[in-house]
Amino acid sequence: MEKKIIFESVNCGDVLPEVRQMVNQEVIWQHAAGSMDYNPVHNNPEWCKTAQVFGLPVTVMHGNQTMSLMCKVVTNWAYPSGGRLKRIESKLVRPVPVDATCIYGATVTEKHPIGKGKDFVTLDIWAKDEQGNTVGVAEAEVYLP
Amino acid sequence: MGYLEEMAKYHKSAKQKEFGADFLVKEDIDQYEFWDEIEIGKESELPMKFEVKAEDLVAYAEGVPDDNPIFYDEAYARKCGHDGIVAHPMFGTQVGFFLMRKGHGSWIRTPGARNPGQIIEYYDPIKVGDILTMKIKGHDKWIKRGKYYMRYMTETFDQHGNLKIRYYVTLILPRTREDVLKFLKGEHALQA
């Protein structure tokens, strides 16, 4: 098992390991199946050529897939130690067109020493495309053992 | 092969196979709620239930994609301190789309909708064997920079009445039925 993450060992400013994901149409379709979000803006390339919901003639990644990959930064880091999310609030600021690659990361910004079993940290999470454009941000609260 | 057949390759769970993947069916869209008709404060308990199976949790994790064994391997997850295989933090998306397919809350399926970001509060972890029900309530709607925002508060409970998650589902929607029907035909119908 990985090195255990516990509340006492975490400090403000700690940077979590990043996640990287290329999203082609197959990856989007599998996310549609997993989430049951079958909106054509993600799944139907022909429809997107004219509908252009985001002003683009191509499909775009689900916003909740961006959120899911931001969560992956947290679940990779805290869940093998028994941590779990308490709250997350995201803002999705830029559509991610099919075949893009994005990078996801996070930094610890706050520690909340409430008591054993209730201690949590706050993270600033970001998602950027390969050109460095921010596509999404989130603030997450995470219980740690 | 059309896009619906392509997506069907990923339908493994019983719920995925039963759920309709075509969100461009006019008869369904005619029954949706539209931004300018949605009542804030209106609440209801959705009629369907969602019995959580391991295959549902696995389907979501595969769709992230995330191969962390906490989502697949019960023994590993328990060793890590969890109460069985873990529901991915965004698993509530699958639950919401499954339960909000008709009637109140059906605006979630609107062609032309955009996702500006979501708020989720976690209470009791979702686990295999939970039988989930959902209460929903029109929470807020607003106009900002010419865009029409819609927010519902949804609360998901298990069969024992425990609150599992509170999920503020938020979308930017086409404003009217006529706008949505343009999108149905593949026409752009947003002013901002």
Side-chain angles (χ1 to χ4, degrees):
Chain A
M1 194 177 289
E2 300 82 354
K3 182 187 167 199
K4 194 164 172 76
I5 303 292
I6 58 172
F7 183 77
E8 288 76 14
S9 69
V10 172
N11 296 300
C12 293
D14 286 357
V15 175
L16 279 58
E18 294 178 0
V19 165
R20 187 181 186 89
Q21 181 67 48
M22 194 279 283
V23 179
N24 61 23
Q25 192 60 58
E26 295 286 338
V27 173
I28 293 175
W29 279 330
Q30 186 158 17
H31 185 78
S35 65
M36 296 191 179
D37 180 352
Y38 294 105
N39 197 300
V41 72
H42 313 297
N43 303 313
N44 186 337
E46 282 302 311
W47 185 84
C48 288
K49 285 178 185 172
T50 54
Q52 300 199 14
V53 175
F54 290 94
L56 301 168
V58 295
T59 60
V60 300
M61 184 178 177
H62 295 77
N64 276 17
Q65 188 170 19
T66 292
M67 265 188 92
S68 295
L69 288 158
M70 290 197 284
C71 286
K72 185 174 180 177
V73 176
V74 181
T75 54
N76 280 352
W77 178 68
Y79 278 51
S81 300
R84 66 181 176 90
L85 267 159
K86 177 177 186 287
R87 185 178 190 276
I88 186 166
E89 178 168 355
S90 73
K91 285 191 190 308
L92 303 167
V93 297
R94 194 182 183 97
V96 179
V98 64
D99 295 326
T101 295
C102 290
I103 304 101
Y104 310 84
T107 303
V108 178
T109 56
E110 299 171 11
K111 286 188 75 174
H112 296 254
I114 308 300
K116 208 63 188 168
K118 296 179 181 173
D119 294 334
F120 69 93
V121 296
T122 302
L123 307 175
D124 278 351
I125 311 178
W126 50 265
K128 294 181 180 179
D129 64 20
E130 285 190 306
Q131 290 70 48
N133 299 306
T134 298
V135 300
V137 294
E139 183 178 88
E141 296 172 351
V142 184
Y143 289 119
L144 291 178
Chain B
M1 193 186 293
Y3 79 100
L4 292 171
E5 289 77 23
E6 294 278 5
M7 285 193 292
K9 293 186 300 191
Y10 300 105
H11 296 165
K12 296 179 188 171
S13 74
K15 292 185 187 69
Q16 287 174 315
K17 289 172 183 168
E18 175 263 327
F19 192 78
D22 188 353
F23 277 22
L24 289 174
V25 178
K26 183 170 186 307
E27 293 72 27
D28 292 343
I29 292 174
D30 282 340
Q31 305 302 315
Y32 288 179
E33 298 172 291
F34 301 95
W35 187 91
D36 59 354
E37 300 169 359
I38 291 171
E39 291 177 48
I40 299 308
K42 179 182 173 185
E43 59 185 323
S44 61
E45 183 165 346
L46 299 180
M48 294 182 67
K49 296 180 192 300
F50 188 111
E51 183 174 355
V52 180
K53 311 266 191 183
E55 65 179 12
D56 304 322
L57 302 183
V58 166
Y60 194 88
E62 287 181 340
V64 172
D66 194 331
D67 60 2
N68 189 327
I70 58 167
F71 301 122
Y72 305 91
D73 182 337
E74 183 175 354
Y76 176 80
R78 288 187 184 280
K79 195 172 163 187
C80 293
H82 300 282
D83 190 15
I85 66 168
V86 172
H88 187 278
M90 295 302 293
F91 177 69
T93 310
Q94 185 189 118
V95 178
F97 273 95
F98 188 81
L99 295 179
M100 295 166 76
R101 65 178 86 177
K102 285 183 179 174
H104 199 193
S106 56
W107 54 270
I108 195 173
R109 301 162 60 100
T110 305
R114 292 172 284 179
N115 182 346
Q118 308 295 323
I119 303 168
I120 309 175
E121 299 166 358
Y122 301 90
Y123 294 91
D124 194 43
I126 292 174
K127 55 185 183 296
V128 172
D130 284 345
I131 300 173
L132 304 175
T133 53
M134 187 179 284
K135 288 181 182 173
I136 66 173
K137 182 177 182 178
H139 184 74
D140 196 4
K141 63 199 271 191
W142 68 97
I143 303 160
K144 185 176 178 182
R145 299 193 191 102
K147 299 185 176 99
Y148 294 82
Y149 289 77
M150 183 68 237
R151 175 171 289 162
Y152 261 37
M153 182 182 78
T154 73
E155 292 181 318
T156 301
F157 298 87
D158 68 13
Q159 65 271 39
H160 309 294
N162 297 312
L163 176 62
K164 312 297 272 189
I165 59 174
R166 183 176 290 126
Y167 190 152
Y168 293 89
V169 182
T170 311
L171 287 178
I172 302 167
L173 295 176
R175 187 173 71 84
T176 67
R177 174 184 299 267
E178 289 69 33
D179 293 337
V180 176
L181 291 175
K182 283 183 186 172
F183 272 116
L184 172 67
K185 293 185 280 187
E187 297 172 14
H188 186 81
L190 299 173
Q191 284 72 51

